[in-house]
């Protein structure tokens, strides 16, 4: 008895505005809880999607799954920046789940990105169980802060720095310039692309609440900003708890950071400040006279990072002399990555070889996890001396943190 053959899956670029809108609609439907951007502001949707590199998986000319990506850069420990694909809008259509469409699509996206010379990719995961199988590892964690302004005061500021209020929407180009000129960003910090800024503009135009922005530094030499919106239970003027929710916080140096925190304390009408995303090692508890007034909660995975070209990424790390280790990398998607790489001083004798998955290598390189922790959880197999040697090669520094979602 004859059976109809399963139609082949065809993966191709989605180029036209109509194709991109169809792909974005499929993604939005798959996520269930996202609003229709195009129905609210068609022009914003077009601008948001035009620079994205959409891929679609088709079965018999029917779009079954989509994935998008935006070109950017990411900061490594030690300060180097490398090209990075910000993966987003990954979704599968109705009737197409658990049939391999998304797996084929993501594998093709990652392989194409590597072939195009992008050594890294990253995403924000809607489900933390999915992306490890594609070689993504947690590259940064974030926590939330809730600061009770009525229960503490900041330590005195050493010097006064000019502050001024700006239009959060009209002056968005100024805020972008400040963000793009941050001199020493943390590991996992992303350079924000055009579509990311377009989405911020959309939210400022259409999201509820009153939005504000302040910048620190004289005109032309600004060194940081806060962008936030007001929030209260009930009417603002009579509310017993008026809150500021921080939407974006950029500070080039410690002085700018302190000045912006002091600004929040200077707004006597506020009771609390919510920081939805801050790095694990944020020094705010040390700036206030009552650390119990700061609630730190909600530790969650932030960046999921995927090394596409281990040799390029390892070569961008600072070299520590006197030690060299070989890494046998295991990659479930990009076959050519399954080989031995070296980290450390090439003029030194090889100390040891460690077998490590590409996902765990991503987490270790960005500083989200130590080799010692990988050993304890049986993710790598090596002697304690070898693991200590590998951790000694890490550049160290601040905890990784990006501070943005996409």
């Amino acid at each position: 008895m004859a059976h109809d053959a399963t139609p082949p899956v065809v993966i191709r670029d989605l180029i036209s505005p109509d194709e991109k809108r169809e792909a974005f609609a499929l993604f939005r439907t798959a996520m269930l809880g996202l609003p229709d951007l195009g129905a609210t502001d068609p022009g914003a949707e077009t601008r948001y999607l035009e620079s994205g590199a959409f891929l679609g998986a088709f079965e018999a000319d029917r779009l079954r799954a989509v994935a998008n990506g935006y070109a950017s850069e990411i900061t490594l420990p030690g300060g180097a920046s490398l090209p990075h694909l910000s993966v987003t809008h990954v979704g599968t259509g109705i009737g197409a789940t658990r049939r391999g469409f998304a797996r084929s699509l993501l594998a093709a996206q990652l392989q194409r990105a590597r072939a195009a010379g992008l050594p890294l990719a990253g995403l924000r995961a809607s489900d933390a169980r999915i992306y490890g199988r594609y070689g993504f590892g947690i590259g940064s964690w974030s926590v939330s802060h809730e600061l009770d302004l009525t229960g503490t005061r900041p330590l005195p500021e050493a010097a006064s720095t000019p502050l001024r209020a700006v239009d959060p929407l009209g002056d968005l180009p100024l805020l972008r310039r400040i963000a793009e000129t941050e001199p020493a960003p943390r590991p996992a910090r992303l350079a924000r692309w055009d579509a990311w800024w377009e989405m911020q503009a959309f939210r400022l135009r259409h999201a509820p609440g009153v939005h504000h922005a302040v910048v620190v530094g004289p005109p032309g030499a600004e060194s940081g900003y806060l962008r936030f919106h007001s929030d209260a239970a009930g009417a603002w003027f009579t509310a017993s708890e008026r809150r500021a929710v921080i939407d974006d916080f950029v500070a080039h140096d410690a002085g700018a950071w302190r000045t912006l925190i002091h600004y929040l304390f200077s707004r006597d009408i506020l009771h609390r400040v919510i920081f939805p995303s801050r790095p694990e090692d944020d020094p705010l508890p040390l700036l206030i006279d009552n650390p119990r007034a700061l609630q730190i909660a909600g530790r969650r995975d932030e960046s999921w990072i995927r090394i596409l070209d281990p040799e390029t990424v390892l070569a961008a790390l600072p070299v520590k002399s006197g030690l060299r280790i070989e890494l046998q990398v295991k990659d479930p998607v990009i076959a050519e990555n399954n080989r031995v790489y070296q980290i450390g001083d090439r003029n030194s004798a090889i100390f040891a070889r460690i077998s490590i998955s590409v996902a765990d290598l991503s987490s270790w390189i960005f500083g989200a996890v130590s080799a010692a922790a990988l050993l304890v959880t049986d993710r790598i197999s090596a002697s304690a001396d070898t693991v200590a040697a590998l951790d000694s090669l890490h550049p160290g520094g601040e905890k990784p943190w990006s501070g943005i979602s996409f």
Side-chain angles (χ1 to χ4, degrees):
M1 182 176 178
H3 295 276
D4 293 334
T6 302
V9 176
V10 175
I11 295 174
R12 66 171 177 85
D13 296 308
L14 306 180
I15 303 298
S16 71
D18 286 343
E19 284 187 322
K20 291 184 176 184
R21 279 192 290 269
E22 181 187 3
F24 192 47
L26 186 150
F27 163 74
R28 189 179 65 249
T29 301
M31 292 296 102
L32 298 180
L34 299 181
D36 188 344
L37 175 62
T40 303
D41 192 334
E45 182 184 59
T46 298
R47 292 188 298 273
Y48 177 59
L49 298 177
E50 64 183 351
S51 60
F54 262 112
L55 281 179
F58 291 83
E59 181 185 41
D61 296 325
R62 182 178 179 183
L63 184 62
R64 290 296 201 173
V66 297
N68 194 8
Y70 292 95
S72 181
E73 288 190 349
I74 191 168
T75 302
L76 273 67
S81 293
L82 287 177
H84 172 275
L85 180 69
S86 296
V87 176
T88 187
H89 306 150
V90 179
T92 305
I94 296 173
T97 56
R98 297 183 178 87
R99 293 179 55 196
F101 291 109
R103 180 170 183 83
S104 298
L105 192 62
L106 274 170
Q109 184 188 43
L110 297 175
Q111 289 161 351
R112 288 183 180 206
R114 189 188 194 283
L118 292 167
L120 289 155
L123 52 75
R124 304 294 182 262
S126 59
D127 188 329
R129 299 169 296 180
I130 294 175
Y131 292 99
R133 71 189 72 159
Y134 300 102
F136 287 86
I138 296 174
S140 65
W141 300 89
S142 70
V143 296
S144 62
H145 284 181
E146 183 169 340
L147 178 62
D148 180 3
L149 298 175
T150 67
T152 187
R153 298 303 300 170
L155 300 177
E157 193 169 14
S160 177
T161 306
L163 268 173
R164 70 183 190 277
V166 298
D167 182 343
L169 179 59
D171 288 313
L172 207 56
L174 168 63
L175 305 186
R176 179 172 185 170
R177 177 175 62 78
I178 297 170
E180 289 177 346
T181 55
E182 186 176 2
R186 285 175 177 264
R189 189 78 159 178
L190 290 171
R192 306 164 187 201
W193 50 98
D194 291 346
W196 188 89
W197 289 104
E198 181 60 45
M199 181 55 69
Q200 307 316 298
F202 173 84
R203 289 169 177 162
L204 287 165
R205 284 192 295 265
H206 300 291
V210 180
H211 294 261
H212 306 269
V214 294
V215 300
V216 58
E222 296 88 354
S223 58
Y225 66 82
L226 274 175
R227 185 163 58 82
F228 62 95
H229 66 274
S230 57
D231 178 62
W236 178 260
F237 283 106
T238 57
S240 60
E241 188 169 285
R242 290 182 287 265
R243 299 180 293 268
V245 181
I246 305 301
D247 299 310
D248 198 7
F249 186 179
V250 172
H252 288 189
D253 53 41
W257 176 81
R258 288 193 302 269
T259 297
L260 291 167
I261 296 295
H262 274 261
Y263 163 81
L264 294 170
F265 277 99
S266 74
R267 303 297 90 188
D268 291 335
I269 198 168
L270 289 177
H271 301 109
R272 290 181 177 269
V273 180
I274 310 298
F275 300 83
S277 175
R278 294 304 296 161
E280 292 181 280
D281 57 350
D282 190 290
L284 183 53
L286 301 176
L287 187 69
I288 54 180
D289 64 5
N290 178 14
R292 293 182 181 178
L294 179 66
Q295 297 180 32
I296 303 175
R299 183 179 185 265
R300 61 193 180 277
D301 52 281
E302 185 200 38
S303 307
W304 285 76
I305 298 175
R306 212 291 182 189
I307 294 176
L308 303 174
D309 181 352
E311 188 164 16
T312 296
V313 174
L314 290 168
L317 297 176
V319 175
K320 293 189 176 181
S321 61
L323 187 64
R324 179 163 54 130
I325 290 177
E326 290 186 332
L327 301 172
Q328 174 67 61
V329 173
K330 299 172 290 184
D331 192 319
V333 175
I334 303 176
E336 56 264 44
N337 285 346
N338 289 291
R339 64 180 185 85
V340 175
Y341 301 87
Q342 295 184 356
I343 183 171
D345 185 355
R346 292 183 178 272
N347 295 318
S348 299
I350 296 173
F351 182 81
R353 177 181 291 188
I354 296 176
S355 180
I356 187 169
S357 72
V358 72
D360 288 336
L361 181 61
S362 299
S363 297
W364 178 81
I365 282 179
F366 278 88
V369 68
S370 66
L374 294 174
L375 176 65
V376 169
T377 52
D378 205 26
R379 288 176 174 266
I380 58 175
S381 180
S383 69
D385 287 345
T386 298
V387 167
L390 180 59
D391 274 337
S392 75
L393 290 175
H394 195 274
E398 293 181 307
K399 291 283 190 180
W401 179 71
S402 172
I404 67 168
S405 59
F406 56 89

